[in-house]
Amino acid sequence: MVFKVTVNSAWRATRTLWLLVLVSLSVCICVCRASSSLQEDSAMENIVTEKKAEESHRQDSADLLIFILLLTLTILTIWLFKHRRFRFLHETGLAMIYGLLVGVVLRYGIHVPRDISNVTLSCPVNASPATLLVTFDPEVFFNILLPPIIFHAGYSLKRRHFFRNMGSILAYAFLGTVISCFVIGLLMYGCVMLMKQVGQLAGDFFFTDCLFFGAIVSATDPVTVLAIFNELQVDVDLYALLFGESVLNDAVAVVLSSSIVAYQPQGDNSHNFEVMAMLKSFGIFLGVFSGSFALGVATGVVTALVTKFTKLRDFQLLETALFFLMSWSTFLLAEACGFTGVVAVLFCGITQAHYTFNNLSPESQDRTKQLFELLNFLAENFIFSYMGLTLFTFQNHVFNPMFIVGAFVAVFLGRAANIYPLSFLLNLGRRNKIRSNFQHMMMFAGLRGAMTFALSIRDTATYARQMMFSTTLLVVFFTVWICGGGTTQMLSCQRIRVGVDSDQDNMSIAEGSERRSTKQESAWLFRIWYNFDHNYLKPILTHSGPPLTATLPPCCGPLARFLTSPQAYENECQLKDDDSDLILTDGDINLTYGDITVSTDATGAHTSGGPAFAGAATSDDLDRELTYGDHELVMRGTRLVLPMDDSEPPFTDPHHRMRM
């Protein structure tokens, strides 16, 4: 009996064990099948992802190909226009027309499959697949296309007439831009209130939005007008006023727009006026601008020191590459630090032109100028082509007739409030007056361009920003085509002289009654800076200028010998700058050391003067230096004045001597 019970127990245990084994096998089979199914699904997803990535790659290539073909077509048409001397349409306006034509074709002539997903370069606001062919992230404009444009503006700044009109340029660029911003903002706020009363406003539009619109459309970009000015050789002072204002007011408009965005009053309604919030925005404006300015100058100084104390000039390719990377990184560094890259890269370009350029080898000097000129040309035409495209490919346009008309009226009145009152006030202290025809031409030449477009497309998330973007496009189109195309006729109407040789013009001024215009236009602060820069900063940061052993006190002899490079002695008899319109060179300032003045006329005769009294540079000396600086050969302790050709008499004023 006991044996039978034991057998039954063993049988039950064996059966239970087999059941557990069968259940385990079943579970393993189910898990394997599920895993296999998951692997198959994962493989299918990988295949789909790879296909989408390949489609995206092809789409991006097609996008870039479209713009390359547009630029190629623009270049060929530009050549035809220049060959035929056709000045009614500039290359930027032509790029916009080609962009419009391609935009029409892409919008209405090409069928795009609905299953194409958004790609990396697509703008997140645009949901229609028809826009994916040619729509780019706005950050592409700020981080890739804007830096070479702004840097080239600072790097190619023509210094002679810029400094002659520096006070007026700063007034137009800073005070004038702020005036224009608030005039446009107030007028547009009245227009918005009227639209609300008649029921034509479909969304929120606050006063801060109106001020933001005033800030972005206050950035002028008279590239069309300046190109025609340069080709026709228009009066140099008018060119300097327009160019200097456009270079600086872009930077002011960027910082001003960011300060308006940062306006945040306390309380539930963030759009009420509050004094403390306004003061905070003003503080942000000053802080961001000064920080960006300091960062740009610091980067330029670092580049100058690196190029001075290394032997990079023996390897031109490395030298050019370092210059390019340091210049571009200024923009990204400023943006990463919370400053404004536009301001930083602008003043970096000015600093690089003033200091680093003198340390570069002749090959690198030519390379850097040509490189940034090329990048500026391609980036600017790319942006204008894209403007034409976005008129049809952007799917969130908001065109309101009342807002558009109000915007054109406000832009016109804002520009007038900038030019005419400031010109009247500036003429009270100017010896060389800004004539009325110059003022009318500056009013007419207030075109809007790349900066205005880049600021408006950066944020199109709200109804107000979409309406501002659409209206900004129309403002840019009108000013580039109508105002830019009518430049030649406006010059004739205002009887502004053309065919002016800036060098000969300087000579005639120096010999005439307006010989002291430079002295009158140069601020006393600038005179102090001028001598300080020549005697100390130039020798520290470059191979040019007087050796520090001649300018620093004797107690600083070891430091002076350490900071003065051997080239400062070796290159004493070499011309420090071949591009006098680009760089502030040694011939442009008054030397405060030396004992002899030697002048040479066209026949080779020499005249010399003995030592004069010790002291700083006088106003007359600075006036002569700015006028004749481009024709001078600087030597340690000796100045050799060479005429440019036989038609230019040497300057041999017996009172113009070197200071001990």
Side-chain angles (χ1 to χ4, degrees):
M1 189 67 180
V2 174
F3 176 75
K4 188 176 181 179
V5 172
T6 304
V7 170
N8 289 336
S9 299
W11 169 250
R12 289 175 182 174
T14 303
R15 187 173 59 182
T16 303
L17 181 62
W18 277 106
L19 288 174
L20 291 174
V21 170
L22 289 176
V23 171
S24 300
L25 289 174
S26 300
V27 171
C28 290
I29 292 172
C30 292
V31 170
C32 290
R33 287 182 176 179
S35 177
S36 176
S37 177
L38 290 174
Q39 290 178 357
E40 291 178 359
D41 293 342
S42 178
M44 290 299 297
E45 290 180 359
N46 290 336
I47 293 174
V48 172
T49 303
E50 290 177 358
K51 288 185 177 180
K52 288 183 177 181
E54 185 178 356
E55 290 176 357
S56 175
H57 173 71
R58 292 179 179 176
Q59 190 67 58
D60 295 344
S61 300
D63 295 346
L64 296 177
L65 179 61
I66 289 173
F67 283 100
I68 289 175
L69 293 178
L70 277 174
L71 293 176
T72 303
L73 186 60
T74 302
I75 290 172
L76 293 176
T77 313
I78 291 170
W79 169 81
L80 180 62
F81 281 13
K82 290 184 179 294
H83 182 68
R84 300 292 182 182
R85 298 185 181 276
F86 184 78
R87 299 191 181 98
F88 294 98
L89 186 63
H90 187 252
E91 57 205 41
T92 53
L94 187 65
M96 293 168 65
I97 291 177
Y98 285 144
L100 283 171
L101 296 177
V102 175
V104 171
V105 173
L106 292 175
R107 178 70 180 272
Y108 302 107
I110 294 181
H111 172 70
V112 181
R114 291 288 175 181
D115 59 347
I116 294 181
S117 62
N118 208 343
V119 295
T120 303
L121 292 178
S122 63
C123 189
V125 175
N126 302 341
S128 174
T131 66
L132 300 182
L133 288 172
V134 288
T135 306
F136 292 89
D137 190 335
E139 293 303 316
V140 171
F141 293 98
F142 260 81
N143 294 332
I144 298 178
L145 298 179
L146 274 185
I149 295 176
I150 303 300
F151 182 86
H152 179 261
Y155 195 53
S156 61
L157 189 67
K158 297 182 182 297
R159 50 102 189 125
R160 185 194 316 157
H161 299 284
F162 176 84
F163 285 113
R164 276 179 52 180
N165 299 276
M166 185 174 63
S168 301
I169 291 172
L170 292 177
Y172 287 128
F174 285 86
L175 185 58
T177 303
V178 174
I179 291 174
S180 176
C181 169
F182 279 91
V183 169
I184 295 174
L186 290 171
L187 292 175
M188 292 311 300
Y189 187 67
C191 179
V192 167
M193 291 296 100
L194 180 61
M195 292 168 58
K196 186 179 293 186
Q197 292 295 326
V198 299
Q200 291 197 13
L201 198 64
D204 293 332
F205 212 113
F206 301 103
F207 180 62
T208 52
D209 295 322
C210 296
L211 285 181
F212 180 81
F213 180 74
I216 63 176
V217 297
S218 295
T220 60
D221 184 19
V223 58
T224 304
V225 176
L226 292 175
I228 296 176
F229 278 13
N230 190 49
E231 185 177 353
L232 296 178
Q233 292 185 311
V234 176
D235 188 282
V236 289
D237 286 328
L238 176 60
Y239 185 95
L241 289 172
L242 268 178
F243 182 77
E245 180 205 4
S246 66
V247 166
L248 294 177
N249 90 327
D250 282 352
V252 176
V254 172
V255 181
L256 190 60
S257 62
S258 63
S259 301
I260 293 172
V261 172
Y263 176 79
Q264 290 293 336
Q266 297 179 355
D268 296 334
N269 191 349
S270 61
H271 298 280
N272 287 333
F273 176 77
E274 189 176 288
V275 176
M276 291 303 298
M278 185 189 69
L279 294 177
K280 181 180 178 181
S281 295
F282 182 71
I284 292 175
F285 174 85
L286 294 179
V288 171
F289 193 93
S290 58
S292 303
F293 168 81
L295 188 60
V297 172
T299 308
V301 168
V302 170
T303 310
L305 291 173
V306 171
T307 53
K308 176 183 178 180
F309 291 104
T310 62
K311 297 292 185 180
L312 274 176
R313 62 183 293 116
D314 297 334
F315 305 93
Q316 289 79 25
L317 180 61
L318 300 179
E319 187 181 34
T320 305
L322 177 69
F323 184 92
F324 175 80
L325 293 176
M326 290 293 290
S327 302
W328 200 302
S329 64
T330 305
F331 183 92
L332 302 177
L333 179 61
E335 292 290 333
C337 294
F339 297 116
T340 300
V342 171
V343 179
V345 79
L346 170 64
F347 287 100
C348 176
I350 296 174
T351 306
Q352 301 278 45
H354 189 52
Y355 298 114
T356 312
F357 186 89
N358 292 324
N359 297 335
L360 301 178
S361 61
E363 295 82 0
S364 295
Q365 290 178 350
D366 294 334
R367 283 180 180 178
T368 54
K369 287 189 293 184
Q370 294 170 1
L371 173 63
F372 282 102
E373 185 178 5
L374 173 64
L375 292 176
N376 171 73
F377 173 81
L378 293 177
E380 208 158 47
N381 282 280
F382 186 97
I383 290 179
F384 279 96
S385 299
Y386 188 74
M387 287 185 199
L389 274 164
T390 52
L391 189 63
F392 291 97
T393 59
F394 186 74
Q395 293 297 296
N396 293 282
H397 279 305
V398 179
F399 292 106
N400 187 296
M402 286 188 64
F403 190 84
I404 293 172
V405 173
F408 275 91
V409 173
V411 168
F412 177 83
L413 295 178
R415 182 67 178 172
N418 175 359
I419 299 299
Y420 295 114
L422 286 181
S423 298
F424 173 78
L425 295 176
L426 291 170
N427 281 336
L428 298 178
R430 284 178 62 106
R431 188 179 185 88
N432 185 20
K433 307 296 183 183
I434 303 175
R435 301 191 296 272
S436 59
N437 57 347
F438 279 20
Q439 298 176 34
H440 299 330
M441 192 67 224
M442 293 177 67
M443 171 72 189
F444 183 80
L447 281 66
R448 273 63 179 177
M451 182 59 67
T452 299
F453 174 77
L455 288 173
S456 62
I457 199 177
R458 201 174 191 184
D459 182 8
T460 55
T462 64
Y463 169 81
R465 296 298 174 89
Q466 292 168 6
M467 184 184 294
M468 285 189 281
F469 173 66
S470 303
T471 306
T472 298
L473 278 179
L474 299 182
V475 171
V476 173
F477 289 162
F478 179 84
T479 56
V480 171
W481 286 338
I482 305 302
C483 298
T487 301
T488 306
Q489 291 76 15
M490 189 67 178
L491 288 172
S492 301
C493 178
Q494 296 298 322
R495 297 181 180 179
I496 296 175
R497 58 178 183 161
V498 297
V500 178
D501 186 346
S502 59
D503 292 331
Q504 294 293 339
D505 186 52
N506 274 336
M507 293 297 179
S508 62
I509 291 177
E511 295 173 358
S513 59
E514 297 182 355
R515 199 180 156 279
R516 296 178 180 269
S517 62
T518 301
K519 181 180 67 177
Q520 293 295 118
E521 300 305 324
S522 299
W524 63 270
L525 184 61
F526 170 63
R527 298 172 184 276
I528 296 175
W529 156 256
Y530 215 51
N531 288 317
F532 177 77
D533 174 63
H534 172 65
N535 291 330
Y536 303 105
L537 294 183
K538 267 288 189 73
I540 292 175
L541 299 177
T542 70
H543 299 301
S544 58
L548 290 172
T549 53
T551 57
L552 289 178
C555 60
C556 301
L559 179 63
R561 287 190 293 271
F562 173 75
L563 294 176
T564 303
S565 64
Q567 289 86 345
Y569 303 103
E570 296 174 0
N571 300 333
E572 287 174 349
C573 297
Q574 295 182 5
L575 189 64
K576 295 301 187 293
D577 179 27
D578 294 330
D579 192 355
S580 58
D581 282 340
L582 180 66
I583 311 298
L584 272 168
T585 63
D586 304 322
D588 300 326
I589 34 52
N590 186 56
L591 301 179
T592 58
Y593 70 102
D595 52 0
I596 301 176
T597 301
V598 180
S599 299
T600 305
D601 59 17
T603 62
H606 298 269
T607 59
S608 62
F613 63 90
T618 64
S619 299
D620 291 338
D621 293 333
L622 179 58
D623 185 22
R624 295 187 184 95
E625 296 293 352
L626 283 171
T627 305
Y628 294 97
D630 298 331
H631 316 304
E632 292 182 358
L633 188 64
V634 179
M635 298 164 48
R636 187 185 182 190
T638 304
R639 170 178 298 159
L640 184 63
V641 183
L642 297 177
M644 294 300 291
D645 52 46
D646 293 340
S647 62
E648 296 180 3
F651 183 74
T652 57
D653 189 347
H655 300 289
H656 185 221
R657 304 176 187 272
M658 303 298 299
R659 307 302 180 197
M660 291 296 290

